[in-house]
Amino acid sequence: MTVHLVGAGPGDPGLLTARALELLARADVIVYDRLIPATALDDARAEAELIYVGKEGGGESVSQEEINRVLVERGAAGAEVVRLKGGDPFVFGRGGEEAQALRDAGVPFEVVPGVTAGVAAPAYAGIPVTHRDAASAVAFVTGHEHPTKPDSALDWAALARFPGTLVFYMGVRRLDAIAARLIECGRDANEPAAVVERGTLPGQRTVVATLATIAQRAQEASIRAPAVALVGQVAELRDQLCWFEDRPLAGLSVAVTRARAQASGLAARLRALGAEAIETPSIRIAPLDGPPPEPGRHDLVCLTSPNGVSCLFDRLFAAGLDARAFSGARVAAIGPGTARALRERGVIADIVPERFVAEGLVEALAGVPVRRALIARAAQARDVLPDALRERGAEVDVMALYETVAERLDEAERVALGRADYITFTSSSTVRFLLESLGRGLPEGARLVSIGPVTSEALRDHGLEPHVEASRHDIDGLVEALLSDARAGRRGAGEA
Ligand code: SAH
């Protein structure tokens, strides 16, 4: 029965500490704020009680007294409580007050520091808050108070003289007054300054100017909270050290329409390249019941997708069988992902065609003797492969292992899709079901990325022309194609 005051970091889920993740995964109660990473609660227990105490769209937040009361009450009742706060709980987070309330009530507490925005947002903007040559001290300052308030808790003259970097939290709206007051108190008007909006998040933006001009520049760029402002020579280093906003897909939103269970690999690749990956699954894989293949019956077994492999083995395992059921057969796989899924289950595919479509497999099988083939695949699939094998005189068993069914987008996913710069389609069923689910056309302005010719055809059937078609028809190929389109777009914009 401990209350943990836990820092969630500035927004990038990767900056949640190992300790924070461990506590979140076992908490009975999680009391959380608005500025926490979007995925922070994903691994909470299904039974955990989640209590939101942040501000609702700029409205009133739950009062600090009320938050303290909830923490004390749940803690005293013996629950494992996580009080999750943006950044670090003891840096402008009122964590100190919560700890005092717990102490007064005799409820044990622990503090888990977090990565604070005042360090992380500049770091992601390419600005080190200290530097041997440029700043030997850093001050974290609240920008919450109006600097001309007569009873201000801040000593502006001292801040103006402060020999190092000044980092302001909560100060975007008052940036004008803050800068003016610092200059009035003697700080150099030409000192470099920066504002970092939504630091560490996919849409991070940074404005660099001088103390005299930063407020104006930030306003021109419509910088909004959450943002930190920084005054110091170190702001100049951004020119050399910018990295996060320079990543190839930085600032772009990419929708992933494949099934939720398969989306994470592609989403992770896109995020690593700097994109905001929006998961808008339009399909779901529903395994079909049925018997496993009869061991030893086939001399060729064809698998056409990783889903097919996993469903086929599920059937084998359920019947007490394993990979030895195919011991006498040649195994063919369409696509490296399918081959990988087989290898994970102890089978190395004999044939993996160069082209990852049924036609490619037909070509690859040209010289291969086949008497009785098993084609294990989705219920709805093209008949290119069975037809071609039958034509060659083979007996063909087609085993429908799973169905691809529609997954409805919820309202948040629809909204997110609406701001996508790219929408990726990894199969014709993602095209069909997404359009069905939307009931209207795709959002305007998004560029459509197709994994290959079959998926592109599905788009054309709906009157849509793909902007990008992968020349390698797998996830790597799709990411590559998207990247080169984004680069071309940037070049185009740069020349304009
Ligand atoms: N405890 C938090 C700060 C809470 S005060 C921490 O340690 O980071 C809220 C202020 O933090 C915001 O007004 C903004 O100035 C800053 N902030 C929080 N998240 C931010 C982000 N992702 N990018 C820039 N500033 C952020």
Side-chain angles (χ1 to χ4, degrees):
M1 49 160 280
T2 303
V3 177
H4 294 91
L5 304 173
V6 179
D12 179 347
L15 297 180
L16 274 157
T17 63
R19 179 71 174 146
L21 289 172
E22 177 195 331
L23 290 168
L24 283 165
R26 60 163 218 241
D28 301 313
V29 181
I30 301 173
V31 182
Y32 65 101
D33 283 340
R34 190 165 52 99
L35 290 178
I36 59 166
T39 57
L41 303 180
D42 285 2
D43 292 326
R45 292 165 49 228
E47 311 77 48
E49 183 190 2
L50 305 180
I51 306 176
Y52 176 69
V53 294
K55 273 186 204 156
E56 211 57 82
E60 266 310 285
S61 47
V62 178
S63 73
Q64 191 60 49
E65 293 68 39
E66 177 62 13
I67 297 171
N68 294 354
R69 200 188 59 70
V70 170
L71 295 179
V72 166
E73 182 194 286
R74 296 296 200 284
E80 279 292 331
V81 182
V82 166
R83 167 69 175 116
L84 191 66
K85 303 160 91 63
D88 180 278
F90 278 8
V91 178
F92 303 126
R94 304 192 72 170
E97 291 160 64
E98 292 170 6
Q100 285 170 315
L102 291 162
R103 158 122 235 167
D104 290 347
V107 175
F109 67 88
E110 287 179 15
V111 182
V112 180
V115 177
T116 189
V119 174
Y124 273 48
I127 303 172
V129 290
T130 73
H131 186 282
R132 254 181 97 81
D133 304 327
S136 301
V138 54
F140 297 131
V141 187
T142 172
H144 199 57
E145 293 189 17
H146 203 282
T148 56
K149 209 172 78 177
D151 56 346
S152 169
L154 290 170
D155 180 341
W156 289 93
L159 287 175
R161 279 195 314 272
F162 180 77
T165 309
L166 300 175
V167 178
F168 290 91
Y169 290 68
M170 303 170 284
V172 244
R173 276 193 303 129
R174 293 193 182 78
L175 200 49
D176 208 355
I178 289 170
R181 186 92 173 104
L182 286 171
I183 293 169
E184 190 185 292
C185 291
R187 193 111 187 166
D188 179 2
N190 291 319
E191 187 170 351
V195 181
V196 186
E197 176 192 75
R198 296 178 61 74
T200 81
L201 291 162
Q204 172 178 310
R205 294 194 302 153
T206 305
V207 172
V208 179
T210 64
L211 182 55
T213 57
I214 189 69
Q216 177 68 26
R217 287 292 159 68
Q219 198 193 353
E220 283 162 10
S222 322
I223 296 284
R224 304 250 179 289
V228 291
L230 172 150
V231 181
Q233 216 56 49
V234 286
E236 260 177 5
L237 292 167
R238 172 172 162 85
D239 265 359
Q240 298 164 41
L241 304 184
C242 180
W243 60 276
F244 185 72
E245 291 159 62
D246 277 356
R247 293 172 310 157
L249 299 181
L252 295 172
S253 304
V254 182
V256 175
T257 57
R258 66 192 323 215
R260 205 179 295 281
Q262 268 94 48
S264 59
L266 175 54
R269 295 278 305 276
L270 295 167
R271 289 190 185 114
L273 291 163
E276 176 189 11
I278 308 172
E279 294 188 24
T280 51
S282 64
I283 58 170
R284 185 165 50 81
I285 304 304
L288 297 170
D289 289 334
E294 186 186 315
R297 177 178 161 82
H298 303 99
D299 57 355
L300 174 70
V301 176
C302 303
L303 275 311
T304 60
S305 71
N307 289 320
V309 174
S310 90
C311 293
L312 182 63
F313 275 81
D314 285 348
R315 281 197 191 184
L316 287 175
F317 294 153
L321 297 167
D322 61 22
R324 286 170 294 181
F326 309 127
S327 57
R330 274 200 181 81
V331 176
I334 299 183
T338 309
R340 212 175 306 126
L342 279 166
R343 199 173 326 114
E344 281 162 12
R345 291 163 179 85
V347 178
I348 297 184
D350 302 289
I351 302 159
V352 186
E354 295 270 298
R355 289 198 304 139
F356 314 144
V357 288
E359 286 81 356
L361 184 53
V362 171
E363 279 164 30
L365 287 170
V368 179
V370 185
R371 286 210 344 271
R372 211 182 263 152
L374 171 69
I375 300 174
R377 62 173 207 188
Q380 320 98 319
R382 297 179 309 140
D383 285 323
V384 175
L385 184 56
D387 286 352
L389 288 171
R390 284 195 185 108
E391 213 159 279
R392 292 171 43 184
E395 198 179 312
V396 179
D397 296 333
V398 173
M399 184 173 271
L401 290 163
Y402 62 91
E403 237 178 340
T404 303
V405 297
E407 177 95 291
R408 293 258 152 218
L409 297 186
D410 64 27
E411 196 42 43
E413 288 165 342
R414 277 165 184 266
V415 171
L417 186 70
R419 54 187 172 79
D421 298 296
Y422 284 93
I423 304 177
T424 60
F425 295 99
T426 45
S427 65
S428 45
S429 48
T430 59
V431 174
R432 201 150 39 83
F433 286 123
L434 182 70
L435 285 155
E436 252 171 47
S437 159
L438 290 176
R440 52 183 152 86
L442 291 174
E444 297 274 315
R447 290 177 75 73
L448 311 181
V449 187
S450 152
I451 197 165
V454 181
T455 303
S456 297
E457 249 344 280
L459 281 165
R460 287 186 197 108
D461 286 346
H462 288 89
L464 297 163
E465 186 59 32
H467 300 91
V468 184
E469 182 184 287
S471 42
R472 261 187 60 167
H473 313 313
D474 62 357
I475 295 300
D476 286 345
L478 178 115
V479 170
E480 222 166 84
L482 198 161
L483 259 178
S484 69
D485 188 74
R487 285 209 186 93
R490 298 244 148 113
R491 268 200 305 279
E495 279 159 15

